[in-house]
PDB file of all heavy atoms in Angstrom:
ATOM      1  N   LYS A  71      87.542 120.411  78.802  1.00 87.00           N
ATOM      2  CA  LYS A  71      87.040 119.317  77.958  1.00 87.00           C
ATOM      3  C   LYS A  71      87.275 117.986  78.675  1.00 87.00           C
ATOM      4  O   LYS A  71      88.336 117.735  79.231  1.00 87.00           O
ATOM      5  CB  LYS A  71      87.774 119.320  76.618  1.00 87.00           C
ATOM      6  CG  LYS A  71      87.321 118.230  75.672  1.00 87.00           C
ATOM      7  CD  LYS A  71      88.055 118.315  74.356  1.00 87.00           C
ATOM      8  CE  LYS A  71      87.611 117.202  73.432  1.00 87.00           C
ATOM      9  NZ  LYS A  71      88.366 117.221  72.194  1.00 87.00           N
ATOM     10  N   SER A  92     100.737 110.548  84.854  1.00 92.00           N
ATOM     11  CA  SER A  92     102.123 110.464  85.318  1.00 92.00           C
ATOM     12  C   SER A  92     102.243 110.206  86.820  1.00 92.00           C
ATOM     13  O   SER A  92     103.254 109.660  87.264  1.00 92.00           O
ATOM     14  CB  SER A  92     102.888 111.738  84.953  1.00 92.00           C
ATOM     15  OG  SER A  92     102.357 112.841  85.656  1.00 92.00           O
ATOM     16  N   MET A 109     105.704  97.028  86.795  1.00 97.00           N
ATOM     17  CA  MET A 109     104.349  96.585  87.129  1.00 97.00           C
ATOM     18  C   MET A 109     103.425  97.793  87.095  1.00 97.00           C
ATOM     19  O   MET A 109     103.892  98.930  87.046  1.00 97.00           O
ATOM     20  CB  MET A 109     104.322  95.949  88.518  1.00 97.00           C
ATOM     21  CG  MET A 109     104.590  96.951  89.629  1.00 97.00           C
ATOM     22  SD  MET A 109     105.276  96.228  91.115  1.00 97.00           S
ATOM     23  CE  MET A 109     106.944  95.936  90.614  1.00 97.00           C
ATOM     24  N   ASP A 215     137.603  62.744  84.348  1.00 59.00           N
ATOM     25  CA  ASP A 215     137.996  62.766  82.923  1.00 59.00           C
ATOM     26  C   ASP A 215     137.206  63.811  82.161  1.00 59.00           C
ATOM     27  O   ASP A 215     137.689  64.370  81.191  1.00 59.00           O
ATOM     28  CB  ASP A 215     137.759  61.382  82.284  1.00 59.00           C
ATOM     29  CG  ASP A 215     138.713  60.330  82.856  1.00 59.00           C
ATOM     30  OD1 ASP A 215     139.746  60.713  83.450  1.00 59.00           O
ATOM     31  OD2 ASP A 215     138.405  59.140  82.683  1.00 59.00           O
TER      32      ASP A 215
END
Side-chain angles (χ1 to χ4, degrees):
K71 180 178 179 184
S92 66
M109 67 206 75
D215 292 342

